[in-house]
Amino acid sequence: MNPHIKYVNQGFSLVELVFVLLLISAMAVGLFRFNEGRRAQLMLSAAVRTIVMDVPGTLRPFWELNGYSYAALGAPGFDAERAKATLVKRGIPAAMPWRDTWVVESRTSATVTIDFGCGGFRLGCRELGAAVASARESDPLGNSNLRGVTSTAVHSEGPVAALRVVYGR
């Protein structure tokens, strides 16, 4: 060991501390963005399942028990709140995973139209509509509950945006 070299412990320099802090903050931002993207994808998956599987699965027994008609949904007359309450009572979540509500817009004896709110969804209504369309196309023979979804369209944009889904037989 060389006697002329002195080991002095002076701690970290300001440059080293700034570099470490920048590195940690960059990693934290990256992790946050990854988690936000993953969370949005999980919400999208849950919403698609509700729209293409759960709602048709709930409507099918209602259709069969009421003489192959949706006319009793929200009856007497048509009351959107009563129709929604009936579907929620049968297991459909009262709101989308991102906390926007959905509304039963109309029903005939053969169709039920529901607007699923997506104004608060980070990926937007168009992405939700594309995911629903993709799920419907994944079952070309119509062997599952997916055959209950007859059409989808983005009904509006902005904070009151909604994906309009028509269910029928």
Side-chain angles (χ1 to χ4, degrees):
M1 189 160 143
N2 190 342
H4 299 290
I5 299 177
K6 291 183 180 179
Y7 291 97
V8 179
N9 187 3
Q10 296 179 359
F12 296 106
S13 71
L14 182 60
V15 173
E16 291 171 328
L17 286 174
V18 168
F19 177 75
V20 169
L21 289 174
L22 285 174
L23 184 64
I24 290 172
S25 64
M27 289 173 32
V29 167
L31 184 62
F32 177 76
R33 286 187 181 165
F34 173 76
N35 283 339
E36 281 297 306
R38 179 146 172 84
R39 187 171 153 228
Q41 287 298 322
L42 289 172
M43 287 181 181
L44 179 65
S45 296
V48 169
R49 178 171 175 78
T50 297
I51 292 169
V52 300
M53 297 296 287
D54 298 343
V55 173
T58 300
L59 288 173
R60 186 181 59 230
F62 188 86
W63 164 268
E64 292 168 354
L65 292 172
N66 290 288
Y68 300 100
S69 173
Y70 294 122
L73 185 63
F78 175 68
D79 180 356
E81 291 298 319
R82 184 175 289 150
K84 180 177 180 175
T86 300
L87 296 176
V88 168
K89 184 178 175 184
R90 292 173 180 249
I92 303 302
M96 300 306 289
W98 46 88
R99 296 189 183 110
D100 283 354
T101 61
W102 53 270
V103 178
V104 179
E105 279 298 315
S106 65
R107 63 104 175 97
T108 65
S109 63
T111 64
V112 175
T113 303
I114 300 177
D115 283 354
F116 293 95
C118 47
F121 183 42
R122 192 169 73 83
L123 297 179
C125 283
R126 298 210 183 277
E127 183 72 24
L128 178 61
V132 168
S134 176
R136 288 180 61 210
E137 291 169 6
S138 70
D139 185 30
L141 299 177
N143 290 327
S144 71
N145 286 339
L146 299 180
R147 66 179 162 228
V149 178
T150 58
S151 69
T152 61
V154 175
H155 178 58
S156 58
E157 289 293 335
V160 293
L163 178 69
R164 179 164 283 178
V165 180
V166 179
Y167 297 94
R169 291 286 161 189

